[in-house]
Amino acid sequence: MPHPGPGSLSPPGPVGGAPQRLRGGVLGMADIAAATMANVGPAMSFFFSFAFLATTAGEGSPLTILAAGVAVGLLGNTLAEFSRAHPSAGSFITFVGKTFGPVSAVTTALLATLGYIIAMAGVISISGGFVQITLHHYTGVDLPWIIWTLLLTGLAVVLMLRGVVVSTKWAGYFFGMEMLVLVVVSVAALVEHRGQLSVDPFLPSHINDGFKGLAAGFPLAVYTFIGWENSAALAEETENPRRNVGRAVFSSVAIMTVSYVLFAYSTLTGFGYDVERLGDSATPFIDVAHQTLGALAFLAYLGGLTSTLGVLIAGINSQARLVFNAGREGLLPSFLGYVHPIRRTPNNAIVTFTATALLIIGGWALVHLLGPDGRSMNPVVFFTESSTLGATLILLVYLASNIALPLYYRRYRPQEFRLVRHLLLPAIGTAAILVPLYYLAKPGQPAPYNWFPYAALAALLAAVGYATVLVRRDPTLAEHVGSVVADAD
C-alpha cells in the first residue's frame, strides 16, 4: 500500500473514530525552548560528566564540548527541516516512518521508547540521589535516595497530569534557577582566578592525544546535550510549529553550547588547569563553588536540585508524547493513545513511561543486591550506566533520521530540496553520530558497558522482528504513520 502524502489526515484506526488530540497552540517558542533546555539539564549533566571529559580530553576539554555542540547542531538541522515539513508529536518516529514505511516506524517507536525510558530511569534515580547527597552534606541526615526519588517523581507526574502549560512553565522556572546559579558560580570563579586566566583550553594542541582524546570524550559530550530534541515532540501543542520548533532547537543548542564551554572553562580555571586533580573529583563544579563562594556554595547544590526536577518534568513530558503518538497511530498498544478529555494530556503514556522507568530502577537494584558483592545500587553509578545504554539506542534513532531527511525531501517535497540543508548537513551529521556509536560499541570496555552493544543489537533485532509481524497483521499501518499533523485544523 502506498504511503500517504505529507498532509494526510486519515484518522488512526487502532484508536477508533477521530484521532485523539492534544491541546493545540498553547505553547510559544519561548516555552518550548525553555522546556528543551530544562530537558538538557545543564547542571545535572555537567556535574556528573565533566570530570571524565577532562580526564579524556585534558586541558582542551572545552573543545570537545564545542565539537559536540556543532554535531548536535547538525542533528538540529534534520529535526528542524522535518518539523517544518511535517510537524508531529511523533517526532523521529513519524519522520523515519514517513520515509521508510511502517516497519521502520514501529521499529523506531520501540527503540526510541526503550532508549528514552532507560535514560530517564537514570535521571529519576539521580534526582533522589542528589537530594540524599545534599542533605547528608549539610545536615548529616542520610535517608535512602529511593524515598526522595519517589517523592520527586510523584510531584513531577502530578504537574504533568495537570496540563502541558503548567508543567512546561514549572520546568522553565527550574531551568532559570539552575542557569542563574551556574552562571553566578562560573563568573565568580573566573573573577577569583582572574590572574590565572589562559587561552590554553581553547588550543587544539592542549587536547590529550589529539583527535583520539577528543573522540574518546565525544560520546559523553554529546550525551550532555540529549534533550535538545524536546521541542519537536511538543509540536502539536505549539503555536506555529513549522517555524517555532526549528527556532527553539537552534536557539537551545546554541545557548547550551556557549554555557557548557563557560562552565568547563571556569571549572578548569578553578582547579588551576590541574586536570589530574580535577579528574579525581566526583563533582568538580561543586568543588569550585566551595572554593569560590564558601558557605554560598549551597547555591550550586540548589542548582543541581532544580536541574533534576526540570529534567524530570521536561523529559517525561516530551518523551511520553512520542509514546502517546505511537499509541494513537497504532504503532504501540492503543491505550497509550488516550488523552484526558478536559486537560488534553496523554495521561496513560505519562504514567506508563514513568512506571516502566521505576521498574527498571528496581530491577537494576535487585541485580546489584543479588550479585556477588551483594551491594546496594549507587544512583550516581546507575545514572552513568543507564544513560550510556539509553543513549546508544537513542543515537540509532538519530542516525535513522539523518539518513531519512534527504530521501524524504526528494520523494515528497522535491521542489523544496536544497543540497546543503537536505543532503550535505545530514551527511556530516551522520558521520558525527557514527563517532560516539563507535566508541560506545568499541571492544574492551569494563562491565557492564561491554555488554551494552549486544543489548542494543538485541533490542534492534527484536524491534525489527516485532514490527515485521505487526505490519503483516495490519497492512493499514502505512496509512496511520504521521496521519495527525500538528498544525492541522
Side-chain angles (χ1 to χ4, degrees):
M1 183 173 293
H3 304 306
S8 172
L9 284 173
S10 56
V15 176
Q20 298 272 303
R21 286 193 174 275
L22 304 171
R23 193 180 301 280
V26 294
L27 300 176
M29 199 279 282
D31 295 318
I32 61 173
T36 296
M37 290 184 284
N39 195 172
V40 171
M44 182 192 70
S45 298
F46 188 79
F47 283 4
F48 299 105
S49 65
F50 188 63
F52 178 77
L53 273 179
T55 301
T56 54
E59 196 176 335
S61 50
L63 292 179
T64 304
I65 293 173
L66 189 59
V70 172
V72 173
L74 293 170
L75 299 177
N77 170 74
T78 296
L79 193 65
E81 289 301 311
F82 265 128
S83 296
R84 185 172 64 84
H86 197 100
S88 167
S91 186
F92 293 119
I93 300 169
T94 297
F95 306 149
V96 173
K98 291 294 291 181
T99 304
F100 297 118
V103 171
S104 69
V106 177
T107 301
T108 305
L110 291 169
L111 288 181
T113 298
L114 184 59
Y116 281 122
I117 289 177
I118 292 174
M120 187 54 64
V123 174
I124 291 173
S125 69
I126 202 66
S127 66
F130 199 77
V131 173
Q132 181 188 38
I133 292 170
T134 303
L135 284 178
H136 185 260
H137 177 78
Y138 283 100
T139 69
V141 175
D142 195 19
L143 287 175
W145 60 269
I146 190 62
I147 296 175
W148 303 111
T149 286
L150 293 174
L151 286 174
L152 293 177
T153 304
L155 173 63
V157 169
V158 168
L159 284 172
M160 287 183 280
L161 296 181
R162 287 185 60 193
V164 70
V165 174
V166 173
S167 56
T168 300
K169 294 291 185 187
W170 272 102
Y173 295 150
F174 289 133
F175 168 73
M177 291 175 65
E178 73 173 293
M179 279 298 288
L180 177 62
V181 168
L182 290 167
V183 171
V184 166
V185 173
S186 297
V187 172
L190 294 177
V191 171
E192 177 78 14
H193 300 87
R194 56 190 177 276
Q196 305 171 28
L197 298 182
S198 170
V199 298
D200 288 351
F202 301 104
L203 300 177
S205 59
H206 285 260
I207 298 175
N208 283 350
D209 297 324
F211 179 78
K212 182 179 179 182
L214 185 147
F218 188 73
L220 184 59
V222 170
Y223 179 77
T224 62
F225 285 88
I226 283 187
W228 64 270
E229 67 273 35
N230 176 291
S231 55
L234 299 175
E236 191 169 326
E237 294 145 297
T238 301
E239 180 184 11
N240 195 354
R242 296 181 189 272
R243 180 189 65 184
N244 286 334
V245 168
R247 290 183 175 183
V249 167
F250 287 122
S251 61
S252 301
V253 172
I255 291 171
M256 287 295 94
T257 301
V258 172
S259 299
Y260 278 143
V261 170
L262 170 63
F263 307 153
Y265 183 60
S266 63
T267 304
L268 282 166
T269 303
F271 275 84
Y273 308 104
D274 186 340
V275 175
E276 185 176 348
R277 186 164 62 90
L278 191 157
D280 290 335
S281 170
T283 50
F285 189 85
I286 290 181
D287 289 344
V288 170
H290 278 295
Q291 298 167 14
T292 307
L293 300 178
L296 291 180
F298 173 74
L299 293 175
Y301 287 94
L302 180 63
L305 292 174
T306 56
S307 180
T308 57
L309 283 170
V311 177
L312 268 179
I313 296 170
I316 298 176
N317 237 354
S318 66
Q319 292 155 20
R321 277 160 172 75
L322 271 71
V323 176
F324 151 76
N325 191 73
R328 174 172 62 178
E329 294 182 349
L331 309 179
L332 293 178
S334 60
F335 83 95
L336 295 169
Y338 167 80
V339 171
H340 190 278
I342 299 175
R343 298 189 179 93
R344 313 306 300 169
T345 50
N347 288 10
N348 289 358
I350 290 172
V351 172
T352 302
F353 186 101
T354 308
T356 305
L358 289 171
L359 287 174
I360 289 174
I361 294 172
W364 215 294
L366 189 61
V367 169
H368 275 269
L369 287 174
L370 298 179
D373 297 330
R375 294 181 297 179
S376 60
M377 184 179 79
N378 184 321
V380 176
V381 174
F382 173 69
F383 171 74
T384 306
E385 293 173 349
S386 65
S387 299
T388 301
L389 180 55
T392 304
L393 297 174
I394 295 168
L395 284 171
L396 292 175
V397 175
Y398 291 171
L399 181 65
S401 300
N402 256 21
I403 295 172
L405 182 65
L407 300 176
Y408 176 88
Y409 266 83
R410 290 296 293 176
R411 178 182 300 174
Y412 290 128
R413 309 175 83 90
Q415 71 282 2
E416 299 176 27
F417 181 84
R418 299 293 181 271
L419 185 64
V420 173
R421 290 205 306 263
H422 303 131
L423 181 60
L424 181 60
L425 293 182
I428 299 173
T430 297
I433 295 171
L434 291 175
V435 174
L437 277 174
Y438 166 75
Y439 277 91
L440 288 169
K442 187 178 178 181
Q445 300 184 70
Y449 301 97
N450 59 337
W451 60 264
F452 285 177
Y454 299 104
L457 179 61
L460 175 60
L461 294 176
V464 171
Y466 174 81
T468 302
V469 172
L470 185 63
V471 172
R472 286 178 179 173
R473 289 174 54 187
D474 184 7
T476 66
L477 278 180
E479 300 175 0
H480 304 153
V481 178
S483 59
V484 182
V485 182
D487 57 353
D489 294 330

